Amino acid sequence: MPDRRSDLAWRPVLAEYTGTMLLVAAVVGSGVMAATLSPDDVGLQLLENSVATTFALGALILIFGPVSGAHLNPVVSIADWFLGRRTRTGLTARALAGYVVAQTAGAITGSILANLMFALPAVEMSRTDRAAGHLWLGETVATAGLVLLIFALVRSGRPGIAPAAVGAYIGAAYWFTSSTSFANPAVTIGRAFTDTFAGITPASVPGFVLAQLGGLLVGVALIHALYPAPHPAALITVRTPTTGTDRRTSVS
């Protein structure tokens, strides 16, 4: 059967752009709303922000999963490309490049959209400093756990529960990691474009992205150790209404 995303079709790229845009709009917009509704309680602000993000992420995976896999995250796309190289079931290098560009552009657009929805300047670079070793460790842990979860589900033939599982993990990681679990290079870049509750200063972005790439390496190593071969159910091909071609079912 053909590779599930053998070429850089415009539908998956549009899905990744739109999905990441809406994800960042949800993260930033709910942060602004939380700061407005609970100005004197940072803990409640984080709760409101994390709950909104959890539900939004689950919904977005349901919407865009059948079109692009709903990666919405460069580390997920890189892992998909790397883990699928031998079986030719992952992204091609060309498609990977398109996904990463679309995700990053979508994240920046999402911040701008959220800013405009709340009558803020369209672009206002964040002044929230998040540069510290313990925060980078938090990002490494958060990203490794996310990669491990997603590809454990895929390789064990359980992609159908990904919307709930991934949303739940990110919601929990808001609270058990010191960094509040960005776990996404594109989202990290996008959040630099808003000086709100969810923002991160541009100077802090490289440290977070490097930590996330470190988490990617840890997550992929754990997948190789724990799930060395995909479950047969993970290799089933289906006819998709979006392209009319066969592609392996997947959620990531």
Side-chain angles (χ1 to χ4, degrees):
M1 292 294 182
D3 185 349
R4 64 188 172 99
R5 286 187 293 278
S6 59
D7 57 14
L8 187 54
W10 65 268
R11 286 186 181 89
V13 172
L14 177 61
E16 288 298 302
Y17 171 82
T18 308
T20 311
M21 177 188 69
L22 292 174
L23 174 59
V24 174
V27 172
V28 174
S30 63
V32 176
M33 183 65 80
T36 301
L37 296 177
S38 310
D40 300 318
D41 192 332
V42 177
L44 186 55
Q45 291 173 18
L46 185 61
L47 177 62
E48 293 160 347
N49 187 214
S50 63
V51 168
T53 302
T54 295
F55 285 116
L57 181 56
L60 292 171
I61 293 173
L62 287 171
I63 294 168
F64 298 106
V67 183
S68 68
H71 293 185
L72 315 181
N73 187 336
V75 298
V76 175
S77 298
I78 294 169
D80 183 77
W81 164 77
F82 183 80
L83 293 170
R85 288 178 307 155
R86 287 187 300 176
T87 56
R88 297 185 178 180
T89 53
L91 291 173
T92 64
R94 183 167 176 252
L96 172 62
Y99 269 43
V100 171
V101 170
Q103 291 156 356
T104 304
I108 294 170
T109 307
S111 271
I112 293 172
L113 177 61
N115 288 339
L116 293 175
M117 285 195 294
F118 287 91
L120 300 172
V123 174
E124 188 173 19
M125 305 311 290
S126 176
R127 291 171 289 180
T128 302
D129 180 60
R130 300 180 190 265
H134 68 286
L135 299 180
W136 300 332
L137 177 60
E139 279 302 287
T140 301
V141 171
T143 308
L146 179 63
V147 171
L148 178 59
L149 169 64
I150 290 171
F151 290 95
L153 294 177
V154 171
R155 289 205 161 194
S156 61
R158 298 173 293 162
I161 64 173
V166 174
Y169 174 80
I170 291 298
Y174 257 85
W175 292 90
F176 74 73
T177 64
S178 56
S179 62
T180 67
S181 183
F182 286 44
N184 186 327
V187 168
T188 303
I189 292 170
R191 288 170 67 165
F193 287 77
T194 180
D195 192 23
T196 61
F197 179 81
I200 176 173
T201 184
S204 299
V205 168
F208 264 53
V209 171
L210 287 174
Q212 291 155 1
L213 294 176
L216 165 64
L217 295 176
V218 173
V220 167
L222 287 171
I223 285 295
H224 271 302
L226 298 173
Y227 296 90
H231 186 279
L235 298 175
I236 296 172
T237 55
V238 296
R239 197 78 176 172
T240 62
T242 54
T243 63
T245 58
D246 290 320
R247 90 168 50 152
R248 180 171 66 86
T249 57
S250 134
V251 118
S252 47

